[in-house]
Amino acid sequence: MAAPWKRLLLFTATALVLYLVLMWALCSIRFRDRPVLFGTADYYHWPGGDTWQRFQEFNPRKPGQVIFIGSSHAYRGYDPFVFIGRGHPAFNLGSSGQTPMNSYFLIKQYLDSANCALLVLDMYDASLRNTGLESTSDLVENQPSAAAAAGMAWHLDDLRALNMMAARTFVDRSEPYYVTGQYAGKGFCRFADSVKVGAGPPRAPQQPPLPRQVEFLGKCIGLCRERGIPVVVASHYGRRNLRGPAHAPAARTVDSLLAGTGVPYLDFTDAAGVDDENWFADNNHLNGTGARFFTAQLADTLERLGYLHPRP
Amino acid sequence: MLFNSFQFICIFFPLVTGLYFVLPHRWRWLLLLVASCWFYMAFVPVYILILAFTIGVDYFAGIWIEASAGRRRKWLLSASIVANLGVLAFFKYYNFLNESIAAAVRGLGFHYGVPDLGIILPIGLSFHTFQSLSYTIEVYRGHQKAERHPGLFSLYVMFYPQLVAGPIERPGNLLNQINVREEGTGIRSGFDADRVAEGLKLMLWGFFKKLVVADRCAVIVDQVYNRPDDYGAAAIALATWLFAVQIYCDFSGYTDIARGAARVMGFNLMLNFRTPYRSGNISEFWKRWHISLSSWFRDYLYIPLGGNRVVKWRWYYNLMVVFLVSGLWHGADWTYVIWGGLHGSYLVLAILCAPLLARITKGIGLDARPRLKHALNVFITVQLVSFAWIFFRAESLGGALLLCKRLFTTPVSLADLHALYIALPRGAFGVTLVFTALFILADPLYDAWTNREKMVPKGIVGRLVYPVLLACILLFGYFGATSFIYFQF
């Protein structure tokens, strides 16, 4: 009988090989023109959609861009064309369900003081309560950097991340399985519809933020400072249901995190004059019109604070 | 601490097991006791005091019972039973009793203002209460010597692998493996690579059952049982059958992990399940399902009541009492009482109808075809058990009755299953059905292998079984940190 450690090694190696063979088979065998792997669990993300389109378009070598980053609030609410219209090159790196943990690895991989003149980090309280599973699945499959994918997968602390990384290895990602019709370019998605009805009263505060996400938010700020990237944290307009007490705990968390760092928190959640019926695509997200109004107000504020130089 | 948590798999189990083999034998009990406290306190730390109370009462009760004779002995046993069941009644049944009284009083039009207790049920309370009780009863009966070492007795009640969901051990098995003098057995076992491998394999099989089968079935079951109004007969029947698989894999998976973890350290915990859904009748089902509980009720309730050595009506009464109490043991709700009552009724009806059934089977020639007869019996038993599970799983009595009504009054249609398929997360339907089917085929085979009834295949097939299980867990496991169903009892 072989020594125990040899048996353990043999067992582990056999299991690993079997795992890889099974994963390869599931990625290679197709059903309805898609690898059968995607039919085995809901956490696998097909290559494609606005994240795929965004990273195909993004050029990290382009200097001096204003970069927006964050969850769906970011890629649907911060219109880079408003900034471009004012003479500031801009791009939106937001993606669905993106948490500070995911943002950290995107900043680490793609941004430096040469390509990023200003980083606008969107802060939406749900992204602080999210484990990052959805976004990690999306970004592991749809952004090109293996290092960023591995970083997110490792820090997800979930065995499913192992499967995501294996799927990334075996699934052909050269062509998207689908594209997002609302993708307007520069990483931004413009939604034309509006809810057309008033919002309900503010929700009771949800669960507290996850300490890990708050920690990564701090790490994002620290990384930007380390790399000499000017950074601001922002929150876009909130519908009535997301204002006041619904937003206050997250705002307090961000305020206390940023205290003493010199990084401003531009919180527009409770801004006056917001049209709840016509500026929102749903309860949560701005539509194209809302995004245009908000981004213009954000640009005005940034110019006033000296983060952007107004066009002559 | 959950067995399927990162904390257990990557920290607790390797650390405790590693230290166990490094420490001199005489200190192992202390390590296991501290580890068991750590394991239990990971849930609600303060509830360790309840365990301490139970241990304290039964430790002294055991010693005093042994030293006493006559009526005093009986009084001491009664005191131990009252103290143990008192704790159980207070934490588990107070709210149930209070709500039942409130409903009855309000139904009569009176005001009732006694509030419920705002407490969480201590995890595994019913399990360790019964385990501790079995000790004092066995000492009383003279089958077990009282344990003088408080640490060893505490470890008997708290042994972490089976602390929160069994198997409900007897002192004759577990305590005698803890307080053992011979080298090479129980707590004095050395490192034996074959035995360790055997334990780890059992754990792996348990994880497979829990993560790949039970937790996947749960997604479909929850979808239907949480929205009974949305589904008809086909979906309810499917969800009920899947719940039968889910609860079996969940609970027996836990037991396998517990038995495997104990086996690694040299302990043999009792067998708790033996392919129960292959039973040809309800009586056989209870000899194969949750064996440690059914044998506990048999030895400490059914036989003391007179068992079947009484007049017929009394026998039926005994059966009904045992199963109603068993239902109540599972949960403080009328749904559990009905579940137990159904099983008791099945047994009584089986006895009453036995002559008639014998005539029918003989008349239609089924006796000449024993295999077909057995298959039919198994099929009927599974349907009866599954029907009873509706009451076990439903959120409330109203919910259970609604499910029964819809099961028998709505038409069976494929559209219903299609609606269920659409409502489920991607991958939940097909993969679950595939693994459930594979499990149903594999379980009897695995049972035969582990009980030495059949040889594990030699060569490459035998070597690949466990690596395949691990690969399947990684690829198809449901990693949502779900708890075990029986933890709530």
Side-chain angles (χ1 to χ4, degrees):
Chain A
M1 189 61 74
W5 67 268
K6 274 190 186 169
R7 288 167 70 178
L8 185 66
L9 205 65
L10 184 67
F11 172 82
T12 311
T14 314
L16 185 66
V17 169
L18 277 168
Y19 169 81
L20 291 173
V21 169
L22 267 171
M23 181 55 100
W24 171 80
L26 290 169
C27 292
S28 305
I29 302 166
R30 296 170 87 86
F31 178 68
R32 289 183 183 160
D33 210 28
R34 284 184 184 165
V36 289
L37 178 78
F38 296 133
T40 62
D42 61 346
Y43 62 84
Y44 291 113
H45 205 288
W46 292 311
D50 55 85
T51 309
W52 191 90
Q53 293 163 276
R54 184 170 297 121
F55 281 92
Q56 287 292 310
E57 188 184 344
F58 180 60
N59 178 7
R61 282 189 290 274
K62 187 172 179 180
Q65 305 176 83
V66 175
I67 302 288
F68 307 106
I69 204 163
S71 66
S72 53
H73 272 215
Y75 79 85
R76 294 171 67 165
Y78 295 69
D79 187 343
F81 295 102
V82 172
F83 274 64
I84 292 166
R86 290 176 174 225
H88 310 296
F91 199 90
N92 199 319
L93 282 181
S95 64
S96 185
Q98 194 182 114
T99 64
M101 183 272 281
N102 304 107
S103 303
Y104 174 79
F105 288 101
L106 292 181
I107 296 168
K108 191 174 176 186
Q109 183 61 37
Y110 294 106
L111 304 183
D112 54 34
S113 57
N115 65 12
C116 184
L118 173 67
L119 180 71
V120 180
L121 217 161
D122 174 74
M123 192 35 53
Y124 166 45
D125 67 330
S127 63
L128 288 176
R129 287 184 270 111
N130 193 326
T131 60
L133 179 75
E134 177 196 347
S135 176
T136 303
S137 173
D138 180 18
L139 290 166
V140 161
E141 203 63 59
N142 284 314
Q143 60 79 38
S145 163
M152 291 175 204
W154 179 256
H155 284 86
L156 189 63
D157 287 345
D158 189 314
L159 263 176
R160 284 173 282 197
L162 176 74
N163 294 338
M164 292 173 198
M165 286 302 289
R168 176 189 163 91
T169 309
F170 292 120
V171 171
D172 176 16
R173 295 177 297 114
S174 56
E175 291 296 323
Y177 283 77
Y178 69 106
V179 291
T180 301
Q182 289 86 357
Y183 187 74
K186 302 290 177 194
F188 178 64
C189 286
R190 185 178 291 123
F191 287 75
D193 288 348
S194 61
V195 281
K196 297 187 182 75
V197 287
R203 292 188 305 218
Q206 308 283 302
Q207 299 151 320
L210 295 175
R212 208 162 60 94
Q213 297 298 0
V214 176
E215 184 191 328
F216 266 105
L217 179 59
K219 281 185 166 184
C220 289
I221 307 285
L223 183 62
C224 288
R225 289 161 69 101
E226 194 181 293
R227 291 190 172 180
I229 304 169
V231 58
V232 297
V233 179
S235 293
H236 74 41
Y237 301 149
R239 272 191 110 208
R240 184 170 163 243
N241 54 300
L242 291 180
R243 290 181 207 154
H247 175 63
R252 275 198 299 274
T253 303
V254 177
D255 281 336
S256 69
L257 187 82
L258 297 182
T261 62
V263 175
Y265 178 30
L266 310 177
D267 186 0
F268 294 91
T269 308
D270 296 325
V274 173
D275 184 343
D276 269 4
E277 292 187 19
N278 298 304
W279 289 6
F280 288 86
D282 53 39
N283 254 336
N284 247 331
H285 302 98
L286 291 169
N287 62 15
T289 310
R292 202 170 60 248
F293 280 111
F294 162 68
T295 315
Q297 192 177 358
L298 176 69
D300 289 342
T301 308
L302 290 170
E303 286 175 354
R304 199 176 64 247
L305 292 172
Y307 283 94
L308 297 174
H309 300 295
R311 193 170 46 182
Chain B
M1 193 182 306
L2 295 172
F3 279 163
N4 54 335
S5 66
F6 175 84
Q7 204 186 359
F8 178 80
I9 298 169
C10 297
I11 301 169
F12 183 90
F13 180 68
L15 184 68
V16 172
T17 311
L19 284 172
Y20 178 83
F21 286 118
V22 169
L23 276 180
H25 294 177
R26 67 178 184 280
W27 294 116
R28 281 179 171 177
W29 69 268
L30 185 60
L31 167 77
L32 288 179
L33 187 60
V34 171
S36 300
C37 290
W38 174 17
F39 184 85
Y40 191 75
M41 290 171 78
F43 298 108
V44 182
V46 74
Y47 281 171
I48 194 91
L49 296 176
I50 300 168
L51 260 172
F53 173 76
T54 304
I55 290 167
V57 166
D58 290 336
Y59 172 73
F60 289 109
I63 293 172
W64 291 336
I65 288 170
E66 193 179 55
S68 312
R71 287 171 68 87
R72 184 176 151 80
R73 204 172 156 82
K74 202 169 241 177
W75 275 109
L76 285 165
L77 174 69
S78 305
S80 161
I81 292 173
V82 167
N84 279 288
L85 296 184
V87 170
L88 192 62
F90 178 76
F91 283 98
K92 189 162 178 170
Y93 301 110
Y94 174 86
N95 286 350
F96 169 61
L97 201 65
N98 193 43
E99 282 162 16
S100 299
I101 293 170
V105 170
R106 285 185 195 128
L108 293 171
F110 296 105
H111 171 73
Y112 186 83
V114 181
D116 278 351
L117 293 175
I119 49 170
I120 309 165
L121 177 67
I123 203 155
L125 181 65
S126 305
F127 287 92
H128 48 74
T129 300
F130 269 36
Q131 180 155 320
S132 197
L133 259 182
S134 74
Y135 165 78
T136 44
I137 298 172
E138 291 297 311
V139 172
Y140 174 80
R141 289 178 174 179
H143 298 158
Q144 176 69 36
K145 279 188 170 178
E147 177 55 62
R148 253 76 189 168
H149 192 305
L152 298 186
F153 178 70
S154 304
L155 183 57
Y156 161 70
V157 181
M158 293 192 65
F159 187 48
Y160 87 81
Q162 43 85 247
L163 172 61
V164 290
I168 303 167
E169 280 293 339
R170 306 293 181 85
N173 184 37
L174 183 58
L175 188 54
N176 290 349
Q177 292 181 69
I178 291 170
N179 190 0
V180 68
R181 301 202 183 281
E182 291 165 53
E183 287 298 327
T185 55
I187 206 163
R188 292 178 176 273
S189 300
F191 182 88
D192 174 350
D194 286 337
R195 192 199 65 232
V196 169
E198 200 181 301
L200 292 175
K201 284 173 181 175
L202 193 54
M203 289 176 81
L204 195 61
W205 178 238
F207 280 118
F208 175 82
K209 286 203 269 191
K210 168 69 179 162
L211 296 170
V212 181
V213 187
D215 287 351
R216 277 190 169 269
C217 286
V219 177
I220 300 179
V221 175
D222 291 351
Q223 176 68 28
V224 175
Y225 271 70
N226 294 344
R227 299 165 192 80
D229 277 321
D230 295 355
Y231 296 101
I236 292 170
L238 177 69
T240 303
W241 285 322
L242 287 177
F243 180 67
V245 176
Q246 182 202 340
I247 193 164
Y248 172 48
C249 288
D250 190 282
F251 192 20
S252 70
Y254 178 91
T255 302
D256 288 340
I257 298 167
R259 292 181 68 231
R263 188 85 199 106
V264 167
M265 296 185 285
F267 293 91
N268 282 314
L269 297 184
M270 70 182 291
L271 201 61
N272 218 9
F273 294 90
R274 286 218 62 186
T275 55
Y277 295 125
R278 295 179 84 199
S279 308
N281 55 56
I282 297 295
S283 173
E284 188 186 350
F285 175 80
W286 281 102
K287 290 185 181 97
R288 291 165 169 266
W289 176 273
H290 203 174
I291 299 165
S292 63
L293 179 71
S294 49
S295 60
W296 197 100
F297 276 120
R298 182 197 61 209
D299 295 345
Y300 302 131
L301 183 61
Y302 180 64
I303 292 174
L305 282 171
N308 59 358
R309 296 180 177 181
V310 285
V311 292
K312 279 205 165 172
W313 70 265
R314 177 69 199 208
W315 180 20
Y316 306 149
Y317 170 82
N318 291 348
L319 283 170
M320 288 305 296
V321 166
V322 167
F323 278 93
L324 288 172
V325 173
S326 169
L328 206 55
W329 178 90
H330 280 84
D333 202 310
W334 289 109
T335 50
Y336 294 107
V337 178
I338 291 174
W339 171 77
L342 275 171
H343 275 274
S345 310
Y346 290 159
L347 283 169
V348 172
L349 282 172
I351 298 164
L352 289 172
C353 299
L356 177 67
L357 286 173
R359 276 208 299 277
I360 292 172
T361 50
K362 196 176 176 188
I364 59 174
L366 214 53
D367 281 347
R369 306 181 72 180
R371 281 190 157 189
L372 179 63
K373 184 182 170 185
H374 180 68
L376 270 173
N377 283 340
V378 169
F379 177 78
I380 292 165
T381 306
V382 168
Q383 304 320 307
L384 291 173
V385 170
S386 299
F387 177 72
W389 284 134
I390 293 177
F391 290 87
F392 195 96
R393 170 61 184 81
E395 300 292 335
S396 64
L397 186 56
L401 294 175
L402 176 64
L403 282 157
C404 292
K405 184 182 164 196
R406 294 188 66 82
L407 180 64
F408 294 114
T409 58
T410 55
V412 176
S413 88
L414 277 178
D416 193 32
L417 291 179
H418 187 251
L420 175 60
Y421 173 80
I422 298 294
L424 290 168
R426 178 159 42 94
F429 201 80
V431 178
T432 304
L433 294 189
V434 166
F435 275 102
T436 301
L438 286 175
F439 172 76
I440 289 169
L441 295 174
D443 190 42
L445 203 60
Y446 187 85
D447 182 71
W449 288 348
T450 49
N451 293 297
R452 309 281 193 268
E453 287 168 6
K454 273 189 185 167
M455 290 297 289
V456 181
K458 297 272 181 201
I460 191 101
V461 176
R463 283 171 190 274
L464 284 182
V465 171
Y466 291 97
V468 165
L469 282 184
L470 180 56
C472 285
I473 290 171
L474 290 175
L475 254 173
F476 302 108
Y478 187 87
F479 300 103
T482 52
S483 186
F484 289 85
I485 295 173
Y486 265 69
F487 269 30
Q488 61 187 301
F489 308 136

